[in-house]
Amino acid sequence: MDRRHFLILGLLAGFFVGYGVSELLIAGIPLPSSGDDLAKPLTGAEAVKYKEECRALDLSTSREDPYALNGQKVWVEGTVYKKGESYGVKPQETFIALKINTTPDYILLSYAGTTPIKKGDHIKAYGEYFYPAEDTTTPELKNKELPLIKVVYIEKINS
């Protein structure tokens, strides 16, 4: 093959890759994060110390200004409504829509890595509050700005 063929093949490959990524975005499938914005999961003594520094998430205090809690260490408890994991892409990331007993009805969780937690599990998650976030794959949550917790520790609660 001469250089023109390589150029044409390169342009076609670029087009199809670009088209595929744009279709994923249009379809609402979240692309994996770069990893820079993922909180590092904690274990052992680090997790115990972090949990002690967290306070219960009280969304009633943020109704007027949902940005006010950004960056604060919080914990939240609820039931896993939906779970998704990025596979084959580094870094791996788990996304959870958590059903909670307040307004809004849901909060989003982002966790670096994978977890055995599954849909229907009652969990407690610890991490950093962030607003706004959006779940573009769950029809009832589409086009809604929701709080997100960048989770560093997650535990299943027996109910």
Side-chain angles (χ1 to χ4, degrees), residues 55-70 72 74 100 102-104 107 129-131 146-148:
R55 63 186 176 111
L57 178 61
D58 181 4
L59 292 172
S60 66
T61 62
S62 67
R63 286 206 178 107
E64 288 182 29
D65 182 12
Y67 298 91
L69 296 174
N70 274 352
Q72 292 189 20
V74 297
I100 55 177
T102 187
T103 301
I107 192 165
Y129 177 93
F130 175 80
Y131 182 88
L146 296 169
L148 170 92

Side-chain angles (χ1 to χ4, degrees), residues 26-91:
I26 291 168
I29 298 169
L31 294 176
S33 142
S34 67
D36 297 338
D37 58 344
L38 292 176
K40 177 183 162 238
L42 301 176
T43 58
E46 284 183 303
V48 170
K49 183 176 187 273
Y50 192 94
K51 287 167 60 173
E52 290 170 356
E53 295 170 354
C54 290
R55 63 186 176 111
L57 178 61
D58 181 4
L59 292 172
S60 66
T61 62
S62 67
R63 286 206 178 107
E64 288 182 29
D65 182 12
Y67 298 91
L69 296 174
N70 274 352
Q72 292 189 20
K73 293 179 180 178
V74 297
W75 64 264
V76 65
E77 190 175 317
T79 303
V80 176
Y81 178 72
K82 182 178 177 184
K83 176 186 173 188
E85 294 178 342
S86 62
Y87 290 102
V89 180
K90 298 292 181 189

